[in-house]
Amino acid sequence: MFDIVLTTINAKYIHAAFGLRYLLANMGELQPRTGILEFDLKTRPIEIAERILAAKPLIVGIGVYIWNAVESAELIQLLKRLQPELVIVVGGPEVSYETETHPTAVHADYVITGEADFEFAELCRELLAGGNSERIRRPVRPDVKALALPYDLYSDEDLEHRVLYVEASRGCPFSCEFCLSSLENGVRAFELEPMLAEFDRLIARGALQFKFVDRTFNLSIPVASAILDFFARRLCEGMFLHFEMVPDRLPIELREKISAFPAGVLQFEVGIQTFNPTVAELIHRRQNYNRLAENLRFLRQETGVHVHADLIAGLPGEDLASFRAGFDSLVELDPQEIQVGILKRLRGTPITRHDVEWGMVYSPQPPYQLLKNSLIDFETMQRIGRFSRFWDLVANSGNFRESKKLLWSGDGDSAFAEFMAFADWLYRETETRQGIALSRLVELLFLYLTQTKGLDAARIAPVLLADYQTGGRRDVPMILGSLLQEQSASNETGVEVAKLPKRQSRHLAAAG
């Protein structure tokens, strides 16, 4: 039973609601009367309403994000029908801009825009005292050094099963027009020692995975160095650290510290977005492409960092040929993951200033993805969306580390063009973007490589099998097992079981 319930709908169970924990940490004398109820998109809004009302709250605060906006609007309407006197307060980035017309904000009693760390508690005090307040509250950004940190509010279950979000700073110094951070001015850093002391307590409790949400982790080289030194001294098996980094800012002092970490500990999310300098200038994005390429080569060739690189399709001024060239450039730099995103019109972002000139048409529903523009039509944008999904399944999954390269191997072949052809074929064969089992994907990839691209089945079968069995899988997909068994028996193709890894030889013998 709580007088105040803080709630949100996470995209997945493993995502702990960082914002709710900040609100609870800064409730002051109201903290004992406040509780957190977290849900995910698998839970129906009517079931969420039941759980919330069972707590008998007077006030419910709901965090609204792009991934839960539709579900949150439904939840609020259900709560208001079931208990009209319940006071509902919404906040979060999705309702912080264009607030008056947002479907979620329309049905709520109060809206807090921006960072509500202190403001939510103050509103609750006023409401519990019987006072009235302005319906839409627009607080100034808080001094982060005055905030109570939320890390002690991570439960043992969170530490064991969820991603732990942490931050060393808020804000971003850049003005990329597609990003909400472009609406802020400057970066606010947390005090280093108190923050590291909190991390130390988390590690003492068994925390191993830390995901930093800072927009620009390596903006301050001394702070980034201190954080890396902190974790290097506490390095243990299973530790995993995720950072978003500026790709063209990696001086020697950071390189040395990064190189000291073993493989599998560090993951860097590198936001490139476009390789077209004219497009980058158009959207007010600044980056040094020569230095960016040099830094990515260093990360891939001289460190154990897992590199996740982002590109955005549909930016104003960038046609398909330009995006293709950028994608191929990134493939050459060989990050472990390439995230192909479709441009989104986040509420409040200045990307809308290009709507008329470039014919930008966005979906009216979250996540507000671009449907078409004057350079890329709707059909092509749909194809890029399927490309992105299938690239995740084949390339980003890690299940086809070597065999994926067979799709675009050859002199002068474009990785983008070749994979797009495969994505088009795969969609025609399956008529779906979802739910393709791994064994079925192996079969489809084999058929495409042999029948459409005309590659030698005897050459690609061992490559596909080695990829499939990465990570300890012990079975052999039927389409590969029969072929390799025949090859082993006849020995006419030059592919011998003895030349395969021992575990594969055992499986092929068993298949016979």
Side-chain angles (χ1 to χ4, degrees), residues 32-104:
R33 301 170 65 181
T34 307
I36 289 177
L37 292 176
E38 286 181 270
F39 304 94
D40 60 55
L41 291 173
K42 291 182 178 180
T43 310
R44 295 185 303 159
I46 195 166
E47 294 169 348
I48 297 173
E50 181 181 13
R51 288 276 308 279
I52 290 172
L53 294 178
K56 305 294 184 185
L58 303 174
I59 302 170
V60 175
I62 302 176
V64 186
Y65 300 86
I66 197 169
W67 62 80
N68 70 19
V70 173
E71 292 77 10
S72 295
E74 182 180 346
L75 171 63
I76 292 169
Q77 292 177 70
L78 285 169
L79 290 171
K80 278 300 188 181
R81 283 178 176 267
L82 291 165
Q83 190 170 315
E85 70 278 11
L86 182 64
V87 177
I88 296 178
V89 184
V90 296
E94 178 63 10
V95 295
S96 290
Y97 304 95
E98 304 172 25
T99 304
E100 292 80 359
T101 59
H102 195 285
T104 302

Side-chain angles (χ1 to χ4, degrees), residues 401-469:
R401 293 178 182 175
E402 297 303 320
S403 46
K404 70 183 181 184
K405 300 173 186 176
L406 297 172
L407 287 166
W408 60 81
S409 59
D411 295 336
D413 286 351
S414 159
F416 180 85
E418 293 291 337
F419 196 88
M420 179 65 88
F422 171 64
D424 290 340
W425 177 90
L426 189 58
Y427 185 67
R428 288 195 301 270
E429 291 292 313
T430 63
E431 297 183 340
T432 184
R433 295 170 25 153
Q434 310 293 334
I436 305 176
L438 179 58
S439 58
R440 173 64 172 154
L441 199 53
V442 170
E443 178 183 350
L444 290 163
L445 188 56
F446 178 83
L447 292 174
Y448 180 80
L449 289 170
T450 55
Q451 296 180 5
T452 301
K453 286 189 68 70
L455 300 183
D456 181 15
R459 178 168 72 92
I460 67 173
V463 181
L464 268 171
L465 181 61
D467 276 349
Y468 176 78
Q469 292 184 335

Side-chain angles (χ1 to χ4, degrees), residues 18 27 121 139-140 144 173 207 226 233 242 256 268 405 421 459 480 484 491 498 506:
F18 197 28
M27 289 300 290
V140 297
V144 297
R233 292 192 296 269
H242 173 102
E256 292 174 350
F268 288 170
K405 300 173 186 176
R459 178 168 72 92
L480 301 182
L484 291 171
N491 199 29
R506 291 198 300 272

Side-chain angles (χ1 to χ4, degrees), residues 137-181:
R137 297 172 66 119
R138 306 182 188 276
V140 297
R141 290 196 297 270
D143 177 2
V144 297
K145 295 177 182 178
L147 290 174
L149 299 180
Y151 303 112
D152 287 340
L153 296 175
Y154 282 125
S155 67
D156 292 340
E157 180 181 353
D158 294 334
L159 268 62
E160 187 173 357
H161 299 294
R162 286 177 154 161
V163 175
L164 301 188
Y165 295 98
V166 299
E167 61 181 352
S169 64
R170 291 185 184 178
C172 180
F174 304 109
S175 302
C176 307
E177 292 181 344
F178 55 79
C179 182
L180 284 173
S181 294

Side-chain angles (χ1 to χ4, degrees), residues 76-358:
I76 292 169
Q77 292 177 70
L78 285 169
L79 290 171
K80 278 300 188 181
R81 283 178 176 267
L82 291 165
Q83 190 170 315
E85 70 278 11
L86 182 64
V87 177
I88 296 178
V89 184
V90 296
E94 178 63 10
V95 295
S96 290
Y97 304 95
E98 304 172 25
T99 304
E100 292 80 359
T101 59
H102 195 285
T104 302
V106 165
H107 297 286
D109 296 294
Y110 298 95
V111 184
I112 302 177
T113 68
E115 297 172 37
D117 306 82
F118 293 138
E119 195 71 14
F120 179 73
E122 183 58 34
L123 175 59
C124 288
R125 292 186 188 100
E126 294 174 11
L127 296 175
L128 292 173
N132 294 317
S133 175
E134 290 186 37
R135 183 174 176 274
I136 299 178
R137 297 172 66 119
R138 306 182 188 276
V140 297
R141 290 196 297 270
D143 177 2
V144 297
K145 295 177 182 178
L147 290 174
L149 299 180
Y151 303 112
D152 287 340
L153 296 175
Y154 282 125
S155 67
D156 292 340
E157 180 181 353
D158 294 334
L159 268 62
E160 187 173 357
H161 299 294
R162 286 177 154 161
V163 175
L164 301 188
Y165 295 98
V166 299
E167 61 181 352
S169 64
R170 291 185 184 178
C172 180
F174 304 109
S175 302
C176 307
E177 292 181 344
F178 55 79
C179 182
L180 284 173
S181 294
S182 65
L183 304 174
E184 302 181 10
N185 293 315
V187 176
R188 293 161 292 148
F190 287 81
E191 289 187 289
L192 192 60
E193 292 308 318
M195 177 189 69
L196 294 179
E198 295 279 351
F199 296 169
D200 210 15
R201 284 196 289 272
L202 284 174
I203 293 172
R205 293 174 56 198
L208 291 173
Q209 299 192 37
F210 294 77
K211 184 168 184 176
F212 282 77
V213 299
D214 304 50
R215 294 291 190 183
T216 49
F217 167 73
N218 57 329
L219 181 67
S220 169
I221 303 306
V223 170
S225 296
I227 291 173
L228 290 173
D229 287 342
F230 168 86
F231 284 107
R233 292 192 296 269
R234 292 156 178 80
L235 194 61
C236 60
E237 184 177 355
M239 181 170 282
F240 178 78
L241 310 171
H242 173 102
F243 302 100
E244 290 188 36
M245 65 167 292
V246 182
D248 55 5
R249 185 176 175 83
L250 205 61
I252 186 64
E253 55 262 49
L254 270 191
R255 289 188 173 209
E256 292 174 350
K257 296 179 187 299
I258 291 166
S259 299
F261 282 83
V265 177
L266 298 179
Q267 175 169 289
F268 288 170
E269 183 173 345
V270 182
I272 297 170
Q273 317 312 358
T274 180
F275 275 92
N276 187 319
T278 302
V279 174
E281 184 178 0
L282 188 65
I283 61 171
H284 293 170
R285 181 170 184 81
R286 306 191 308 272
Q287 52 191 1
N288 183 314
Y289 287 101
N290 290 332
R291 198 174 299 156
L292 178 156
E294 178 190 346
N295 288 339
L296 286 185
R297 291 190 190 98
F298 161 75
L299 291 174
R300 289 296 289 123
Q301 297 170 11
E302 301 182 43
T303 78
V305 173
H306 182 100
V307 179
H308 172 116
D310 296 325
L311 288 178
I312 297 178
L315 290 169
E318 181 149 65
D319 60 14
L320 188 64
S322 171
F323 185 78
R324 164 181 161 163
F327 184 90
D328 289 341
S329 295
L330 189 52
V331 168
E332 286 295 316
L333 294 171
D334 195 31
Q336 288 93 334
E337 293 183 54
I338 299 175
Q339 184 69 50
V340 176
I342 307 298
L343 178 64
K344 300 175 179 64
R345 189 202 75 85
L346 301 181
R347 299 175 74 92
T349 53
I351 196 76
T352 54
R353 75 183 183 90
H354 303 288
D355 285 359
V356 174
E357 181 179 0
W358 296 102

